[in-house]
Amino acid sequence: MSLTSIMNIATTGLQAAQTQLRVTSDNLANVNTAGYVRKIADQTAAVTEGYGAGVDVSRVRLATNRFLQAAGMSANADAARQNVRYELYDQIQTQFGDPSGDGGFFAKIDKLFASYATLGESPTSSAARQDTVYKTQAMFNEAANIAAQIQTARQEADSRLLSAVDTVNPLLEQIDKLNKTIAAGSIISQDVTGAQNAQQTLINELSQYMDVKIETRANGGVTLRTGTGMTLVGDGHAVLSYKAAGTVDSMTAFSDIMVTEPNGTRWPLLDGVSSGEIRGLIELRDTDAPAAAARLGELTAKLADELNRAHNANSSVPAPTLLSGRNTGQSLTTALTGFTGTTTITAVDSAGVIQASAEIVFSGATMTVNGVAADPTTFLATVNAQLGGEATVGFFDGQLRIEGQGGNGVAVADDATSPSSKGGRGFSHWFGLNDLVSTTTPTFYDTGLTLTSQHGFDTGESLTFRIGSASGARLRDVTIAVPTGTGTMGELLTALNDPVGGVGRYGAFSLNAAGTLSFKAYDSASTTLSVVKDNTTQTPSGVSMSQLFGLGETGATRAGAYSVRSDIQSDPEKLALAQLNLSAAAGTSALSKNDGRGGLLLADAGRKNVSFAAAGGNSGGTKSLSAYAADFAGDIGGKASAAKTASETATAIAQEADNRRNASEGVNMDEELVNMTTFQQAYNASARLIQASKDMYDVLIGIL
């Protein structure tokens, strides 16, 4: 071997050791840099014509463990998803208060019923009346506040989605730019590990927003895809677009987050993302929060309805001069159809003595009034004739009104053995003649309408449904117009279920015996229905179709729609605590201020079984208000606890995955110091070889 060969080999060793020291120094400098992946310089023996020619540094690469990398990004995406769900759901749970304490929302429901029980024992106490009315209003005020806070949490989630999109787009752009830098450097065999490390840091950040998969490109760089294969970075980068809703309420229809792939293809992002902060925000906004709002709406509605049921069975003393019912949204004929049992309308003087009465016995579509046959078309005339001018009954714009004449008051009472009933509500209750709690929206959706009933909407009015997938992405918006024809519910149902112009491809609407309109998807696990826009107005109620039937998330809006009747708030003496005694002897009072049976009936409202509709993932069923409230409290507390546990577990798993990844990919100080010593010695040895070769050259030249 020639001296030149020795010097050349030593030079390659010197250069290799220098490269290794440069890599080691870079690693040591970044020992505390988050996300830094250590560099490795791969050495190979150089061979020329079968002889050893020293050493080559074939490449400088990152110590990336693809398996641990994928596991770490997946764990971090799930942690981000669970953390944001817990963070925002905890805000919702906090509004309800401690389910096990006595100061929370649910505890106040039981306290309210206890207040009515106390009032039933002392009906003449003005202070007790004032306190009970105040607690009732405070109860509905708190329900409205909680409902508003739930929507605030949804609005925050929606705003954060926009922020996430605004963050993701620059990340994708920078990752794509680094792809080009890495590819260009790889072609000319440059060290591109600095760009690769920077790119990996960006990918790590991206993985917190969505689950991504990495594919290494043959020419350098990476291809990023979502879990279902949507291309985020490849030959170019994708662009996400989203328009936040702004102010959010229960009926808000949100836009899709769209992703435009590098090739120009547009997809709903939610079809390709199953984890990350974006998925967590979507789940909170579209699933968790609406479920809580729906159950709160159902509980509040039933609370109001049961208080009204009890209050309509009572009367204040003296009796009110006017009973004005709710707007039923129906004609009198439709409203009266379906009643059974017996009720009595009375006119009483200021002393509570009955001056006139009209006993109404319902039988299908007909009735008798004090034994006189009548039907819906002659009902008003017959009742008024039997009341003999002591009181008058009228029906105006969907509302039944009973007004005392000549200073008389009016009261209504059902028969004790055969009470009037329609859809489980008595005559006064169904018409809302003496409601304690008033509302701006329908409280119940069992309308009593049949297929032959008039629906009351004008031809051409329309509403738009959104058919969504299980992922939350929009499948289709369907706009349905009120059909021409005779205006029956049957015609409306046919239009709704039309497979071309309606929702018939995805499910079917049906009208049950109680007049409740409901939608059932053919595949309930993967199809959802919501209301995007409702331009319908029913005559005479003035409510929309979605409000009348509780379509979409309308039921959740009820929580903020209730208040104690304004005249009762102003004068608690108008609180109905007495019960009309239809058996009172002629000339004696049928009402007494000392009668607190109505208060006890209001107190019992919390213990009587009520039929709850399915809401917020709860199947509903028959149970008492107190039991439903307790179940709801447990559900809210359980979900909050589960969200916390899921967050803590996901965070722990992510931390463990990061630790394992760092152990494999990160910088080990001891190892790098050993490498530094080793390569320093190798450098010195190569330098000594060069020096030895030089000395030998000098001797050889001296000989010559």
Side-chain angles (χ1 to χ4, degrees):
M1 179 178 291
S2 66
L3 289 176
T4 301
S5 297
I6 293 172
M7 184 170 288
N8 288 340
I9 290 172
T11 300
T12 63
L14 192 72
Q15 292 172 338
Q18 186 177 16
T19 299
Q20 291 284 11
L21 285 170
R22 179 175 60 80
V23 169
T24 300
S25 66
D26 202 6
N27 287 342
L28 287 171
N30 287 280
V31 66
N32 293 318
T33 302
Y36 178 83
V37 180
R38 78 178 190 279
K39 299 177 181 180
I40 298 176
D42 291 334
Q43 294 184 186
T44 57
V47 178
T48 302
E49 296 180 356
Y51 293 95
V55 63
D56 286 332
V57 176
S58 57
R59 63 171 179 166
V60 179
R61 61 180 176 85
L62 300 181
T64 302
N65 184 313
R66 294 299 179 190
F67 173 77
L68 291 178
Q69 180 190 61
M73 290 195 301
S74 175
N76 281 316
D78 190 52
R81 170 195 172 202
Q82 299 297 350
N83 287 343
V84 74
R85 287 185 73 182
Y86 169 61
E87 175 192 346
L88 293 178
Y89 199 81
D90 187 56
Q91 293 180 20
I92 294 173
Q93 191 272 335
T94 300
Q95 298 301 317
F96 288 95
D98 183 359
S100 61
D102 61 358
F105 173 76
F106 301 106
K108 291 178 182 178
I109 294 178
D110 290 332
K111 288 182 178 180
L112 176 62
F113 290 126
S115 180
Y116 277 109
T118 301
L119 183 59
E121 300 295 334
S122 55
T124 59
S125 172
S126 297
R129 284 174 175 263
Q130 183 68 55
D131 181 63
T132 302
V133 169
Y134 171 80
K135 287 180 179 177
T136 306
Q137 184 58 49
M139 185 79 253
F140 288 108
N141 286 344
E142 186 164 356
N145 180 64
I146 294 173
Q149 291 302 315
I150 291 174
Q151 299 311 317
T152 297
R154 296 182 73 208
Q155 185 171 322
E156 180 180 344
D158 193 54
S159 298
R160 288 172 67 167
L161 278 172
L162 180 60
S163 297
V165 169
D166 289 342
T167 301
V168 166
N169 279 329
L171 289 175
L172 295 177
E173 183 179 3
Q174 293 174 61
I175 292 169
D176 181 42
K177 287 182 178 178
L178 287 169
N179 257 356
K180 296 179 174 63
T181 301
I182 294 168
S186 298
I187 292 174
I188 58 177
S189 301
Q190 282 185 344
D191 178 7
V192 294
T193 53
Q196 289 174 329
N197 245 321
Q199 187 181 64
Q200 185 58 56
T201 300
L202 295 173
I203 293 173
N204 290 341
E205 185 178 352
L206 177 66
S207 70
Q208 295 182 27
Y209 292 96
M210 63 181 74
D211 48 321
V212 294
K213 293 182 178 180
I214 302 177
E215 301 171 10
T216 303
R217 294 163 63 93
N219 63 342
V222 296
T223 295
L224 295 183
R225 301 184 191 278
T226 65
T228 58
M230 292 181 190
T231 302
L232 297 174
V233 176
D235 294 324
H237 63 88
V239 176
L240 274 60
S241 58
Y242 180 63
K243 183 178 180 180
T247 302
V248 173
D249 59 31
S250 297
M251 298 300 292
T252 298
F254 297 98
S255 302
D256 283 328
I257 303 175
M258 300 300 296
V259 54
T260 303
E261 293 185 297
N263 63 5
T265 304
R266 281 172 56 86
W267 300 95
L269 179 68
L270 297 184
D271 284 346
V273 173
S274 60
S275 192
E277 183 175 317
I278 288 177
R279 171 53 65 183
L281 290 169
I282 289 292
E283 289 172 334
L284 185 284
R285 188 197 69 182
D286 295 351
T287 303
D288 299 336
R295 291 207 66 181
L296 177 62
E298 181 67 9
L299 173 60
T300 310
K302 287 298 188 289
L303 174 61
D305 196 37
E306 290 309 303
L307 289 175
N308 285 340
R309 181 193 303 276
H311 202 258
N312 273 281
N314 307 330
S315 175
S316 60
V317 182
T321 58
L322 174 66
L323 293 177
S324 182
R326 67 182 179 91
N327 193 325
T328 63
Q330 299 177 16
S331 66
L332 182 60
T333 298
T334 301
L336 288 174
T337 300
F339 272 104
T340 59
T342 303
T343 193
T344 300
I345 299 173
T346 65
V348 298
D349 63 17
S350 59
V353 178
I354 297 176
Q355 303 300 301
S357 64
E359 182 187 62
I360 307 167
V361 180
F362 293 100
S363 178
T366 62
M367 69 284 296
T368 61
V369 182
N370 289 344
V372 178
D375 60 37
T377 61
T378 61
F379 175 78
L380 294 178
T382 305
V383 171
N384 284 329
Q386 295 301 312
L387 290 174
E390 299 292 341
T392 57
V393 181
F395 190 80
F396 310 96
D397 295 330
Q399 292 178 290
L400 186 67
R401 290 166 55 92
I402 306 175
E403 187 170 5
Q405 303 297 320
N408 287 332
V410 287
V412 180
D414 279 338
D415 183 77
T417 57
S418 180
S420 63
S421 178
K422 177 178 178 178
R425 294 174 177 83
F427 179 82
S428 181
H429 182 201
W430 197 91
F431 282 101
L433 292 172
N434 195 21
D435 282 350
L436 168 61
V437 183
S438 59
T439 178
T440 57
T441 188
T443 295
F444 50 88
Y445 303 125
D446 36 353
T447 63
L449 296 174
T450 66
L451 293 177
T452 58
S453 299
Q454 294 291 303
H455 52 64
F457 299 101
D458 291 338
T459 299
E461 292 182 336
S462 65
L463 77 164
T464 302
F465 294 107
R466 174 162 296 171
I467 309 298
S469 67
S471 69
R474 171 174 48 185
L475 295 177
R476 182 187 176 194
D477 284 353
V478 180
T479 299
I480 303 172
V482 176
T484 57
T486 59
T488 65
M489 281 298 301
E491 293 171 340
L492 180 60
L493 203 62
T494 299
L496 291 171
N497 291 331
D498 188 280
V500 178
V503 300
R505 291 172 54 190
Y506 306 96
F509 281 98
S510 60
L511 188 71
N512 67 14
T516 304
L517 184 69
S518 60
F519 173 79
K520 184 176 182 180
Y522 296 137
D523 184 0
S524 58
S526 59
T527 305
T528 61
L529 179 139
S530 59
V531 178
V532 177
K533 185 185 298 183
D534 191 342
N535 294 324
T536 62
T537 302
Q538 193 205 40
T539 303
S541 70
V543 301
S544 66
M545 191 181 302
S546 54
Q547 289 176 315
L548 180 65
F549 296 111
L551 304 179
E553 298 297 329
T554 307
T557 65
R558 295 177 293 177
Y562 298 104
S563 63
V564 175
R565 214 172 70 201
S566 59
D567 62 319
I568 295 178
Q569 288 193 62
S570 301
D571 182 6
E573 293 300 321
K574 293 182 179 179
L575 189 63
L577 300 179
Q579 293 187 346
L580 182 68
N581 181 10
L582 294 175
S583 301
T588 63
S589 178
L591 293 170
S592 171
K593 277 185 173 292
N594 295 317
D595 183 3
R597 288 177 297 168
L600 298 177
L601 192 62
L602 286 161
D604 286 342
R607 294 192 292 267
K608 291 185 176 180
N609 282 339
V610 179
S611 179
F612 287 89
N618 181 271
S619 58
T622 301
K623 60 183 66 177
S624 69
L625 276 167
S626 295
Y628 188 88
D631 179 61
F632 185 19
D635 184 46
I636 288 288
K639 285 183 176 179
S641 178
K644 181 179 181 180
T645 300
S647 173
E648 291 174 344
T649 301
T651 299
I653 292 174
Q655 185 61 54
E656 178 63 22
D658 284 344
N659 290 341
R660 293 189 179 189
R661 185 177 176 186
N662 288 335
S664 173
E665 299 179 346
V667 177
N668 185 300
M669 179 72 77
D670 294 335
E671 183 180 320
E672 296 301 328
L673 289 175
V674 170
N675 287 341
M676 182 182 69
T677 302
T678 300
F679 297 132
Q680 185 179 23
Q681 291 174 347
Y683 185 92
N684 290 336
S686 296
R688 291 183 64 184
L689 276 174
I690 293 174
Q691 183 63 46
S693 298
K694 176 182 176 300
D695 292 344
M696 292 174 69
Y697 264 117
D698 290 343
V699 172
L700 182 59
I701 291 173
I703 293 174
L704 296 176

